[in-house]
Amino acid sequence: SEPLLISCLQTLDVASRASAEGMATTVKAVTCVFTLKVLDTIDSSSSDAWSVTAFGIAQLSYAITLTATLYYRKWNVIQYPRFIPPPSQHNKSFLHDNFHLPTLNLTFLFSLQSIFKHCLTEGDKIVLTALSDSYDQGIYAMTLSYGSIICRCIFQPLEENARLLFARQYVLVKQQQQQQNHHLSKKQHQYEHLQHLHDTYTALVKLVLCIGCLFTFLGTNYTSVLLHVLAGSKWSSSSSSLSSSYQNTASSSLSAFCVYISTLAFNGTTEAFVYGVVDKPKDVGTLGIIHGCVGVLFAITVPIAVKMYGTIGLILGNGICMIIRGTFAVYLAACFFREHTTISTTNNDDATNQKQEDDKGTTAKKDAQSNSNLPINTQKSTITNIMTNMIKNMFLHPIVLMGFISCFIITRYSLHFHFQQLSTNDNHGYIHKGWIVAALSHILVGITSLVLFVMIPMYKYEGSFGRYLSSMLKEKKMKHDDDDGRKNGHQKME
């Protein structure tokens, strides 16, 4: 099913993918419950031993349903490969005739990097299994389960669509650079495409950071309420009888994961840009080396952090690694814009030299107008200056950040004020009226502080950011309508 999932991403066919994944998830859940019931009926004495088997059967049913649904919906658009037999008169190989070798080499490097990234992803579980007891492992599993819902529902779709958007905009930049005509009007379009790619990159990173700040500064003070509803008071209270250490409670671990979400979002979007525009095996190899260095740093520091702080130490180590990887991805993006700005300026200088023979004054004026439209000032376009400018555009206005900090302080005080009510149940173990009133009051304090200290300052100081996001959505809608119009036109002609 993977080729069809990639096809859905490339063609923005959200309906087919959502339908297939929704159907597969439903079948997986039903199969898991049904299999557990059946296996428990067959052999009730060892029901725990059949749990893993039921999970495996459910995963298999998910894969079969996903593949079948995608092939059913995309059957008419599938293009199967046609291999070209090598002619007898030349010595070129079958691989050379049927595949683009540079792309194949790049795909091989991406595959190796994916394997390495998978090892890094599973490294936290290996460390936790080796250094922690079953209680810490259970807390981390619960934290990861609830925290991953946010990542899968919000940040993963944003990251996938951002990578596709970056790749499409980069194609426009390359097409303009590959044209032989160096007239000013052509270069003007090239500058516009490069500027548009730069603005889109910084805007999307700012968007995910803004969402991450909601979880970092607000979500951390509401994890106890969430766990109280989902898992009961023994998991939501920092004074849980299962552990005397505050650092090892599920509530504090989930709060730490809320902070980790911001670093995860930052790294995911910045690396999505690198993967969307990279076209050189050298760049992929450099990124892999950085991931290797981060993995070594993780292996050295995380065991110490886990021994000191338990699951929170593990989450903290992951967050530091995400920040390092994201920062290096920003550095690679700065190198990308520096390189393409230099190419643009060099090509424009060639066109200027040709025109200087006819009209030096007019050419100089046009050259100045052209350079003013570059996304980066070519006179000061060092890597450091470009990276500093990009980070400045990515992060929120200081007043907005102060608003988020104010929200954190207010909601933290509200949590302590309502703590006794929020950490108790009634005599029967159920949520009582006092808890509901305290929880609603705590939530109302968060909403009010968010509106007063974040939304209003953001409207005032980040208005251009909101307008740019609106223009991106309008542009996407117009393009989608144009594509639908072309499809309808082709169908009528047929």
Side-chain angles (χ1 to χ4, degrees), residues 143-167:
T143 302
L144 192 64
S145 298
Y146 290 137
S148 298
I149 294 175
I150 301 170
C151 300
R152 288 195 298 266
C153 295
I154 299 177
F155 294 111
Q156 184 178 355
L158 282 175
E159 181 181 337
E160 292 177 350
N161 287 280
R163 182 168 61 248
L164 181 62
L165 180 61
F166 295 146

Side-chain angles (χ1 to χ4, degrees), residues 139-140 142-144 146-148 150-151 212 215-224 227 246-265 305 309-320 322-323 408 412:
I139 284 183
Y140 186 73
M142 176 182 287
T143 302
L144 192 64
Y146 290 137
S148 298
I150 301 170
C151 300
F215 293 100
T216 298
F217 294 102
L218 285 174
T220 51
N221 294 325
Y222 290 89
T223 55
S224 59
L227 288 176
Y246 176 80
Q247 287 85 357
N248 289 334
T249 61
S251 177
S252 55
S253 297
L254 190 57
S255 296
F257 198 91
C258 288
V259 180
Y260 171 63
I261 283 175
S262 295
T263 65
L264 200 64
Y309 302 107
T311 55
I312 293 181
L314 180 59
I315 297 171
L316 178 64
N318 277 323
I320 294 174
M322 292 298 105
I323 292 175
F408 174 80
R412 173 63 70 175

Side-chain angles (χ1 to χ4, degrees), residues 184-318:
L184 182 62
S185 59
K186 298 292 184 182
K187 304 312 298 178
Q188 178 71 22
H189 288 296
Q190 180 178 329
Y191 300 147
E192 290 177 356
H193 291 316
L194 198 58
Q195 178 71 58
H196 191 43
L197 179 58
H198 176 271
D199 294 343
T200 302
Y201 172 54
T202 55
L204 289 179
V205 175
K206 179 179 284 191
L207 175 62
V208 297
L209 286 178
C210 184
I211 299 173
C213 284
L214 290 175
F215 293 100
T216 298
F217 294 102
L218 285 174
T220 51
N221 294 325
Y222 290 89
T223 55
S224 59
V225 177
L226 176 66
L227 288 176
H228 198 104
V229 175
L230 297 178
S233 60
K234 67 178 181 180
W235 294 104
S236 62
S237 174
S238 61
S239 59
S240 174
S241 60
L242 295 177
S243 176
S244 59
S245 175
Y246 176 80
Q247 287 85 357
N248 289 334
T249 61
S251 177
S252 55
S253 297
L254 190 57
S255 296
F257 198 91
C258 288
V259 180
Y260 171 63
I261 283 175
S262 295
T263 65
L264 200 64
F266 172 68
N267 171 73
T269 308
T270 52
E271 286 193 351
F273 177 83
V274 176
Y275 290 129
V277 302
V278 66
D279 54 1
K280 299 177 182 178
K282 179 182 176 181
D283 296 333
V284 181
T286 303
L287 198 60
I289 293 173
I290 294 300
H291 288 173
C293 296
V294 172
V296 173
L297 178 65
F298 178 86
I300 295 174
T301 58
V302 167
I304 301 174
V306 170
K307 289 183 178 179
M308 294 176 61
Y309 302 107
T311 55
I312 293 181
L314 180 59
I315 297 171
L316 178 64
N318 277 323

Side-chain angles (χ1 to χ4, degrees), residues 14-278:
V14 181
S16 296
R17 183 179 178 183
S19 175
E21 291 185 347
M23 181 70 70
T25 303
T26 303
V27 172
K28 173 185 172 182
V30 173
T31 303
C32 186
V33 174
F34 178 77
T35 307
L36 283 173
K37 291 292 185 181
V38 171
L39 293 178
D40 183 62
T41 303
I42 296 175
D43 188 6
S44 58
S45 60
S46 58
S47 58
D48 293 338
W50 291 106
S51 301
V52 178
T53 304
F55 177 77
I57 295 174
Q59 288 294 115
L60 181 61
S61 66
Y62 174 88
I64 294 174
T65 306
L66 179 67
T67 304
T69 306
L70 283 175
Y71 273 92
Y72 174 76
R73 294 183 65 94
K74 307 285 289 186
W75 183 263
N76 295 329
V77 298
I78 296 176
Q79 295 182 358
Y80 294 96
R82 297 179 180 179
F83 295 106
I84 303 172
S88 57
Q89 58 267 22
H90 66 78
N91 297 323
K92 291 185 178 180
S93 64
F94 173 80
L95 190 67
H96 186 279
D97 287 331
N98 290 276
F99 296 95
H100 185 243
L101 295 185
T103 302
L104 200 62
N105 183 33
L106 196 63
T107 304
F108 176 72
L109 291 176
F110 274 129
S111 300
L112 291 179
Q113 192 177 43
S114 298
I115 296 173
F116 184 71
K117 286 181 68 176
H118 177 73
C119 295
L120 290 178
T121 303
E122 298 298 320
D124 54 354
K125 300 181 180 64
I126 298 173
V127 171
L128 199 65
T129 303
L131 301 178
S132 300
D133 55 17
S134 59
Y135 171 67
D136 284 339
Q137 294 175 24
I139 284 183
Y140 186 73
M142 176 182 287
T143 302
L144 192 64
S145 298
Y146 290 137
S148 298
I149 294 175
I150 301 170
C151 300
R152 288 195 298 266
C153 295
I154 299 177
F155 294 111
Q156 184 178 355
L158 282 175
E159 181 181 337
E160 292 177 350
N161 287 280
R163 182 168 61 248
L164 181 62
L165 180 61
F166 295 146
R168 288 188 171 185
Q169 292 184 353
Y170 177 52
V171 169
L172 297 177
V173 175
K174 287 187 65 177
Q175 288 176 350
Q176 291 295 333
Q177 289 179 348
Q178 291 172 356
Q179 289 182 355
Q180 298 298 324
N181 190 349
H182 297 293
H183 290 298
L184 182 62
S185 59
K186 298 292 184 182
K187 304 312 298 178
Q188 178 71 22
H189 288 296
Q190 180 178 329
Y191 300 147
E192 290 177 356
H193 291 316
L194 198 58
Q195 178 71 58
H196 191 43
L197 179 58
H198 176 271
D199 294 343
T200 302
Y201 172 54
T202 55
L204 289 179
V205 175
K206 179 179 284 191
L207 175 62
V208 297
L209 286 178
C210 184
I211 299 173
C213 284
L214 290 175
F215 293 100
T216 298
F217 294 102
L218 285 174
T220 51
N221 294 325
Y222 290 89
T223 55
S224 59
V225 177
L226 176 66
L227 288 176
H228 198 104
V229 175
L230 297 178
S233 60
K234 67 178 181 180
W235 294 104
S236 62
S237 174
S238 61
S239 59
S240 174
S241 60
L242 295 177
S243 176
S244 59
S245 175
Y246 176 80
Q247 287 85 357
N248 289 334
T249 61
S251 177
S252 55
S253 297
L254 190 57
S255 296
F257 198 91
C258 288
V259 180
Y260 171 63
I261 283 175
S262 295
T263 65
L264 200 64
F266 172 68
N267 171 73
T269 308
T270 52
E271 286 193 351
F273 177 83
V274 176
Y275 290 129
V277 302
V278 66

